[in-house]
Amino acid sequence: MSVGAVRDRWQMFAGAVVAVALGVGLVQSSLQVMAATGQPQLPAGLSGVERARIRDGYAGAATLLGMTVMLAVFLTVFIVSTTFGFTVVQRRRELALLRLVGAQRGSLRLMLLGEAALLGVLGTAAGVPIGVLGTYAQSELLMSLGMLPFWFHAPWDPGALYAAAIVGVSTALVGVFAAAWRASRITALEALSDLPGSRPVMTGWRWFWGLSATGFTVLLVIVGQAAGDLVAGLMIALLVMVSGSVALSQLSPIAVPWVGRLPALVLRGSLVADLARSNVLHAVRRSSATAAPLIVLVGLLVGLWGTFGSLAKAVGEEQRQLVTADLVVGGPVAPAADIAVASRQTTVPITVRRKGSTVYSEAIGIDPAAWQQTHKLRPRKGSLDRLTGSTIAIGPGMSTDGYKLGSVLTATIGKRVTKLTVVAVLPETLDVGDNFYLPHALTPAGRTETLVKVADGNDRAAVARRLGGTAQSIADWAEDRGKAQQSGNTGIFAVLMGLAGVYAAVAVVNAIVMAAADRRREFALARMAGLTRAQVVLVALVESLTVVLIGVLLGCVVAAAALAGVASGTANTYGVVVLAVPWRLIALILAGALVVVGATAAGTAWTATRVRPISLLGGRE
């Protein structure tokens, strides 16, 4: 029976099979690449700093791949559960007839579990070649992002294949559990009714999870506002994205029609618009199934991009407030009458050893007096005035790593090995790029920039022009530092955004295709009432595009709730609201969703209206 159901309703299960195949392919390729990053092969001749950077890149790649695996598993379960939830509604009469002829509840559950297992096997078989290609594609992508070196190679690992196969079947079975339980609750008399929509869309469990997630989200937003701390706001924002997306996706049968009344005010004045508006407001199951993936997609992606974009922007604002200089010049600056202070900073590689651990990093050679005249930041322990001779100061990037004042470190600077005494430990900042500070006398030639404080009575712009094209204002310099931090996240977000976008497209297309199977009689009735075939297709198109707008709007509500704590935290920390709203990302998601959903809705409606209306209305399917 399970095989027959999948064979007869393959159009409805196609989306689930694609989701499982993508999940298996991504899990297989990600695990294979992760296994290769666990034991990096480094060529001879690399410096300690280069080896450290490569290992950090390997660690970052492994983290990204781990996030990819978790996201793929979650979205696969989401799509499979949505698919079977829809099929249970559409097959209520079939399931009731089975109950009528003696099938027990356990038999129905077993039948749906068999269908899910079959989908898992089919998806796994299709996903294995995807995984083979995905291994190469992921390796190339991570190398292009600079996370892996150009010589990286991921050898074949059969363990990744076995794990992916287990994940494929398991996700399919997990996704069907809720639908199988609902199917077993169907009674023959209830399902033989001529009202297939008589069962409420909002089940008890859906109310429970929706209201619980909503209450938790509201509580988090209140706590985030009350905390007024940037770090707390960032942590709370991540939780709000997840809980808010779950809340609105579970309550979408309530939220979508309610929010749908706003565009419904515009969709007036024509028969097509009135029919589309009525469908949005009353075809709750179909509208919510289409909107839910968009709510999750927009809530997570816009929230994540806005949160980390705001963090990068906050880095720039923090530096702008901590640095009291007027200009930054990319190189040394000679003394002049129009310059009050010139704080030269030379960056050189350094290797620091302590208690059996080795840190490969960079140190900044400074003049302590000039540095303190151009910076507000002061040590939380010790004093920079003692940074002379064989001494070292711990920068913000290493502030929390347990370095003690007065301890002696063994450092390699260039080819010179020396003992250095810790004389100061600076407090932690958002910009963790500065790890160590040294006296200028200990630093060889390196990358140099100079922070310049213009003398009183002199024009900053004139001094900047005299210093040349590398001079820039502190505001521009701080903004560039924030952008540099954001650029490290851009590649990661691009990967996750692409993955989430593909799954969301599969989920939305799957929902529209499954809903089209129930709309043949509806379309036939509309045509018998006088609408042309083109008008019927246009109604379906307008309805779907309206649902897209609603889904994106609700997703933006989730993202806004997540970013509220970040805005409050930056306002309390820096005195100004520092917030990065990813308008381009929102526009990109909206445009892509309109194109994908519009094309799918028009195509399925056109296909569903190929048959003459009278042949569909002549008997019941």
Side-chain angles (χ1 to χ4, degrees), residues 373-568:
Q373 291 181 63
T374 55
H375 292 77
K376 293 181 181 179
L377 194 66
R378 293 294 180 267
R380 60 182 177 86
K381 294 180 181 179
S383 172
L384 286 177
D385 294 333
R386 300 171 56 193
L387 190 65
T388 58
S390 297
T391 59
I392 187 172
I394 309 302
M398 293 289 178
S399 178
T400 60
D401 283 17
Y403 289 91
K404 295 182 179 180
L405 200 65
S407 60
V408 178
L409 309 177
T410 302
T412 302
I413 308 168
K415 296 183 179 180
R416 176 184 177 187
V417 180
T418 184
K419 299 285 188 180
L420 302 176
T421 303
V422 178
V423 296
V425 179
L426 277 77
E428 186 179 13
T429 63
L430 293 179
D431 187 354
V432 295
D434 298 345
N435 292 336
F436 301 102
Y437 294 103
L438 298 171
H440 267 308
L442 295 180
T443 55
R447 188 176 69 253
T448 299
E449 68 177 6
T450 305
L451 276 67
V452 175
K453 182 176 284 189
V454 177
D456 293 339
N458 291 275
D459 181 62
R460 296 178 184 177
V463 175
R465 287 193 296 270
R466 183 182 68 79
L467 293 174
T470 61
Q472 60 180 160
S473 67
I474 291 298
D476 293 340
W477 172 79
E479 183 179 356
D480 288 344
R481 292 195 69 147
K483 289 180 178 179
Q485 177 158 322
Q486 175 69 352
S487 65
N489 298 325
T490 301
I492 296 176
F493 285 134
V495 174
L496 297 179
M497 183 178 68
L499 174 60
V502 169
Y503 270 98
V506 172
V508 172
V509 170
N510 190 41
I512 294 175
V513 171
M514 288 190 299
D518 270 356
R519 303 193 71 181
R520 295 179 184 274
R521 291 176 59 84
E522 173 192 334
F523 291 155
L525 285 170
R527 293 179 67 187
M528 292 294 291
L531 267 68
T532 64
R533 186 182 182 188
Q535 287 177 315
V536 170
V537 173
L538 185 58
V539 168
L541 176 62
V542 174
E543 174 192 344
S544 298
L545 296 183
T546 304
V547 173
V548 167
L549 294 175
I550 296 171
V552 172
L553 177 60
L554 290 174
C556 288
V557 170
V558 174
L563 295 177
V566 178
S568 175

Side-chain angles (χ1 to χ4, degrees), residues 172-192:
L173 292 175
V174 170
V176 80
F177 279 154
W181 182 85
R182 288 197 299 270
S184 68
R185 309 298 297 177
I186 294 176
T187 62
L189 293 178
E190 175 189 23
L192 287 175

Side-chain angles (χ1 to χ4, degrees), residues 197-254:
S198 59
R199 286 183 63 86
V201 180
M202 291 298 298
T203 61
W205 280 111
R206 190 161 189 166
W207 275 112
F208 172 78
W209 290 114
L211 293 178
S212 298
T214 300
F216 184 60
T217 302
V218 172
L219 178 62
L220 287 174
V221 172
I222 294 173
V223 171
Q225 294 294 311
D229 179 75
L230 177 56
V231 176
L234 292 171
M235 297 299 102
I236 290 173
L238 299 177
L239 295 175
V240 170
M241 293 172 214
V242 178
S243 62
S245 298
V246 170
L248 284 184
S249 62
Q250 289 295 309
L251 297 176
S252 56
I254 304 298

Side-chain angles (χ1 to χ4, degrees), residues 585-606:
L585 177 61
I586 296 173
L588 177 63
I589 294 175
L590 178 60
L594 290 174
V595 171
V596 172
V597 174
T600 304
T604 53
W606 185 261

